[in-house]
Amino acid sequence: MGSLGTFLRYPDDVYPLLKMKRAIEKAEKQIPPEPHWGFCYSMLHKVSRSFSLVIQQLGTDLRNAVCVFYLVLRALDTVEDDTSIPTDEKLPILTAFHRHIYDTEWHYSCGTKEYKVLMDQFHHVSAAFLELEKGYQEAIEEITKRMGAGMAKFICQEVETVDDYDEYCHYVAGLVGLGLSKLFLASGSEVLLPDWEQISNSMGLFLQKTNIIRDYLEDINEIPKARMFWPRKIWGKYADKLEDLKYEENSTKAVHCLNEMVTNALTHIEDCLKYMDALRDPSIFRFCAIPQIMAIGTLALCYNNVQVFRGVVKLRRGLTAKVIDRTKTMADVYGAFYDFSCMLKTKVDKNDPNANMTLNRLEAIQKVCRDTGVLHKRKSYINDKGQSYNVYIIMLVILLAIVIAYLRAN
């Protein structure tokens, strides 16, 4: 759950971590008895514990649809990500994937670890898909078809321009945003704004660009072939080859490139805030808001941080637990985006070539948050007064948790 040193440094993480641990245990015990649904929810826990926790907020029918949608797209993504698959074999799989989801006998062996299990036993996902209501099936099929075609396009095309970057992110994530909006509409829980396609797309692009930035080192070191999603139009200003950014002698230019990538991602935030502000159903709101807050938090950590090119940069588990526990209203969302944008702002170096552009983006985000007039209601994630709690009280909480765990085990 976390080290003692981390607990002492962030004592207010303890209670949310305990709640999250209990919630995960509860979710794992609620696996449906039917083999195909049992496989789907068990696999969901394995490929994304945080997502599987957030999805539990949704009503049963919508939860099942989102679970299947997520696994179908994870399977499609597994095919795209597997660089060992020859291109002439991969392309027809991607473009026909929307038909495979109707075939309970189809499977394709690729990927590693839990993703290989997902692909080898994909017939369970197909069986679950076929039990969904027609409206859910049509939305999932349409998005899968469009995403597969887009992925196929970029198998044969590198990300050169910023427009290419936006287009690629649209295919692999913006379409997820559109698909989720269609599922929410089909459930009868939400209505769509006139510009729903644009702001749904932005919800996906913001998350995807955050992942692409954070995962630079993992992607560039992919075997047998590097995966390169940063647009040449940006990284070409700082290096001859994208992989050169990981070398220590290029650290200054690498960080400048990273900061321009983060600044590009920030352009989607105002659309994201508009999308979330329009949601009516509390469970759908939390489902959408929690990943967005984690994304802005991740960008705040990545910005001006050379560690992105050396290892893994991610939110500490306790902060993730606080986001999941405390995100209830738009006041919480505006507060989180305001706080993390303030944190990011303190890291802007005036000598960075994109400093003015970054500051302008951050000030625009902060203005949107301030203008709502709800910041005084926010629950802070990064400036928590709980830091001043007596360490002995925290130690008592930890001791009680250990005792409770021992009693439950016996």
Side-chain angles (χ1 to χ4, degrees):
M1 194 170 70
S3 68
L4 180 59
T6 302
F7 287 155
L8 293 177
R9 187 177 178 187
Y10 303 103
D12 52 299
D13 285 1
V14 176
Y15 181 60
L17 273 168
L18 289 172
K19 287 185 69 175
M20 185 171 76
K21 186 174 186 296
R22 292 294 301 274
I24 290 173
E25 291 172 351
K26 182 180 178 182
E28 289 174 344
K29 291 177 181 177
Q30 294 178 331
I31 302 296
E34 301 88 349
H36 50 296
W37 286 112
F39 175 84
C40 288
Y41 279 97
S42 296
M43 187 54 57
L44 189 64
H45 293 315
K46 292 176 182 177
V47 299
S48 179
R49 277 198 166 191
S50 58
F51 185 82
S52 69
L53 184 59
V54 175
I55 200 179
Q56 296 299 325
Q57 324 274 335
L58 302 174
T60 303
D61 289 346
L62 180 57
R63 181 173 67 243
N64 286 343
V66 172
C67 175
V68 170
F69 185 45
Y70 183 85
L71 291 177
V72 166
L73 299 188
R74 288 304 303 181
L76 183 63
D77 189 56
T78 299
V79 175
E80 186 214 18
D81 283 352
D82 193 331
T83 53
S84 69
I85 304 173
T87 299
D88 60 350
E89 185 176 330
K90 180 181 292 190
L91 292 179
I93 298 173
L94 294 175
T95 54
F97 210 90
H98 64 287
R99 291 196 293 272
H100 295 320
I101 59 179
Y102 286 95
D103 183 355
T104 56
E105 295 185 0
W106 184 87
H107 63 90
Y108 180 79
S109 186
C110 66
T112 59
K113 300 178 182 178
E114 60 269 19
Y115 298 104
K116 186 177 188 308
V117 177
L118 172 63
M119 297 304 299
D120 286 341
Q121 301 187 46
F122 192 76
H123 61 279
H124 288 304
V125 180
S126 295
F129 169 79
L130 292 173
E131 290 186 3
L132 299 176
E133 293 179 8
K134 191 69 173 177
Y136 291 140
Q137 288 182 355
E138 290 173 349
I140 293 171
E141 179 188 2
E142 180 199 347
I143 296 302
T144 304
K145 181 179 181 179
R146 293 169 65 183
M147 185 178 292
M151 287 177 168
K153 176 179 179 179
F154 277 92
I155 293 295
C156 306
Q157 173 184 327
E158 291 191 0
V159 179
E160 296 283 346
T161 67
V162 175
D163 284 344
D164 289 341
Y165 183 44
D166 285 344
E167 184 181 7
Y168 172 76
C169 290
H170 165 73
Y171 286 131
V172 300
L175 286 173
V176 180
L178 269 68
L180 287 172
S181 292
K182 287 174 176 286
L183 295 181
F184 300 157
L185 180 66
S187 74
S189 300
E190 298 291 346
V191 295
L192 302 180
L193 296 177
D195 59 350
W196 73 274
E197 291 195 26
Q198 175 188 318
I199 60 179
S200 298
N201 187 59
S202 290
M203 289 281 284
L205 262 63
F206 183 59
L207 297 181
Q208 182 66 19
K209 289 185 176 183
T210 298
N211 291 340
I212 285 173
I213 291 166
R214 181 199 62 198
D215 294 341
Y216 164 85
L217 193 64
E218 178 185 339
D219 289 338
I220 210 70
N221 288 336
E222 180 76 20
I223 295 174
K225 182 181 178 183
R227 299 162 63 220
M228 296 184 286
F229 304 116
W230 291 30
R232 184 187 297 272
K233 183 69 174 179
I234 292 180
W235 64 257
K237 302 175 188 177
Y238 307 97
D240 294 328
K241 298 178 182 177
L242 182 56
E243 57 264 34
D244 291 346
L245 297 177
K246 69 180 179 180
Y247 301 122
E248 193 168 347
E249 61 267 24
N250 298 323
S251 293
T252 299
K253 288 185 177 181
V255 168
H256 288 165
C257 181
L258 166 66
N259 293 346
E260 185 170 351
M261 290 289 291
V262 172
T263 301
N264 172 274
L266 296 176
T267 60
H268 303 290
I269 287 179
E270 286 157 272
D271 275 354
C272 294
L273 293 173
K274 181 178 181 181
Y275 183 96
M276 289 182 282
D277 196 41
L279 294 172
R280 305 183 306 177
D281 184 278
S283 63
I284 292 176
F285 168 77
R286 278 175 47 77
F287 171 78
C288 293
I290 290 170
Q292 296 289 326
I293 293 176
M294 292 172 66
I296 181 66
T298 299
L299 288 183
L301 288 181
C302 288
Y303 184 84
N304 215 39
N305 187 353
V306 73
Q307 190 60 32
V308 170
F309 304 97
R310 306 284 183 268
V312 179
V313 176
K314 62 180 181 180
L315 296 179
R316 70 179 189 276
R317 192 164 176 78
L319 184 51
T320 297
K322 282 201 287 188
V323 171
I324 293 173
D325 182 50
R326 299 180 180 183
T327 303
K328 303 287 196 303
T329 68
M330 269 309 292
D332 301 327
V333 172
Y334 285 123
F337 273 80
Y338 185 83
D339 283 347
F340 280 121
S341 63
C342 287
M343 174 181 167
L344 202 159
K345 195 173 182 178
T346 64
K347 299 171 71 176
V348 177
D349 183 345
K350 65 180 181 180
N351 294 317
D352 186 277
N354 296 288
N356 288 336
M357 192 186 335
T358 307
L359 290 171
N360 287 339
R361 290 302 323 140
L362 292 171
E363 286 163 7
I365 294 163
Q366 290 173 344
K367 183 178 186 303
V368 170
C369 295
R370 281 195 303 267
D371 288 351
T372 63
V374 299
L375 290 183
H376 65 285
K377 299 180 181 179
R378 74 188 188 275
K379 304 178 183 73
S380 179
Y381 299 98
I382 58 177
N383 299 310
D384 203 302
K385 294 178 181 178
Q387 292 284 359
S388 63
Y389 286 172
N390 192 298
V391 170
Y392 293 107
I393 296 177
I394 301 303
M395 293 296 292
L396 179 60
V397 171
I398 296 172
L399 181 60
L400 286 172
I402 294 172
V403 171
I404 292 170
Y406 174 80
L407 293 174
R408 288 179 61 195
N410 294 275

